[in-house]
């Protein structure tokens, strides 16, 4: 067991646990968008950034293992500003239709935006174009609302053992894709795991 301090509170965590797991095991809130306890930690959304004494900069709580004697702060002004900035960037390229969206009220992005007081249109510029819809009768995809958390990709690979979907493109053009084929012509088994996560 390792002993560490999070927000001034001393806790114990088993070797191999991450900062996020240790915090959640002890009722300490750290926000996430790309984390799912059933999947391998990804660290892509950067919402779980925390400050760890001795680190060169903020660390990603979902991928950083605890170390005996570690001192962590989860909600300093610097960390809160970084999280707010991440949300502003995500929302700058996201449709502003929360009131009519079927996920309203149960959307992690919306909940964090309210929590941090982030509104749409902080940054102006290029908006992700609405992508062609994959013509399959089983799974509807709305790439316009995708925040590229990667949970669907990891669920497909880790739970089902397929690689039907993955990231494609670079920079602003990154999207979740089946490659050059649609879902019907991919190794997709239409199990629904990607949708479930």
């Amino acid at each position: 067991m390792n002993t560490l301090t999070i927000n001034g509170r001393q806790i114990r965590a088993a070797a191999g646990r991450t900062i996020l797991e240790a915090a959640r095991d002890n009722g300490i809130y750290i926000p996430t968008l790309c984390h799912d306890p059933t999947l391998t930690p990804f660290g892509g959304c950067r919402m779980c950034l925390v400050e760890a004494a001795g680190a060169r900069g903020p660390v990603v709580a979902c991928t950083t293992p605890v170390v005996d004697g570690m001192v962590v702060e989860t909600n300093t002004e610097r960390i809160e500003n970084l999280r707010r900035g991440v949300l502003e960037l995500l929302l700058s390229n996201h449709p502003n239709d929360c009131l009519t969206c079927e996920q309203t009220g149960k959307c992690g992005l919306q909940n964090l935006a309210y929590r941090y007081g982030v509104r749409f249109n902080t940054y102006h510029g290029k908006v992700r174009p609405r992508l062609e819809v994959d013509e399959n009768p089983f799974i509807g995809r709305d790439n316009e609302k995708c925040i590229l958390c990667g949970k669907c990709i990891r669920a497909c690979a880790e739970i089902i053992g397929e690689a039907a979907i993955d990231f494609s493109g670079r920079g602003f053009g990154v999207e979740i894709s089946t490659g050059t084929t649609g879902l019907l012509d991919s190794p997709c088994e239409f199990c629904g795991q990607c949708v479930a996560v």
Side-chain angles (χ1 to χ4, degrees), residues 128-162:
R128 185 182 312 244
R130 188 165 189 88
L131 303 172
E132 281 187 37
V133 176
D134 185 352
E135 298 297 331
N136 75 78
F138 309 110
I139 297 174
R141 297 188 304 154
D142 190 347
N143 289 327
E144 189 179 36
K145 293 184 180 172
C146 177
I147 61 168
L148 302 172
C149 69
K151 287 196 276 190
C152 59
I153 294 169
R154 289 178 288 145
C156 185
E158 296 173 21
I159 298 172
I160 303 306
E162 290 293 344

Side-chain angles (χ1 to χ4, degrees), residues 6-7 28-30 49-50 72-76 79-80 83:
I6 300 181
N7 297 342
I28 300 169
Y29 176 75
I30 298 176
L49 286 174
V50 297
V72 176
E73 292 292 331
T74 67
N75 55 6
T76 64
I79 291 298
E80 297 291 285
R83 290 176 182 156

Side-chain angles (χ1 to χ4, degrees), residues 7 61 121 144 151 170 183-184:
N7 297 342
N121 300 327
E144 189 179 36
K151 287 196 276 190
R170 295 183 66 176
L183 278 176
L184 285 174

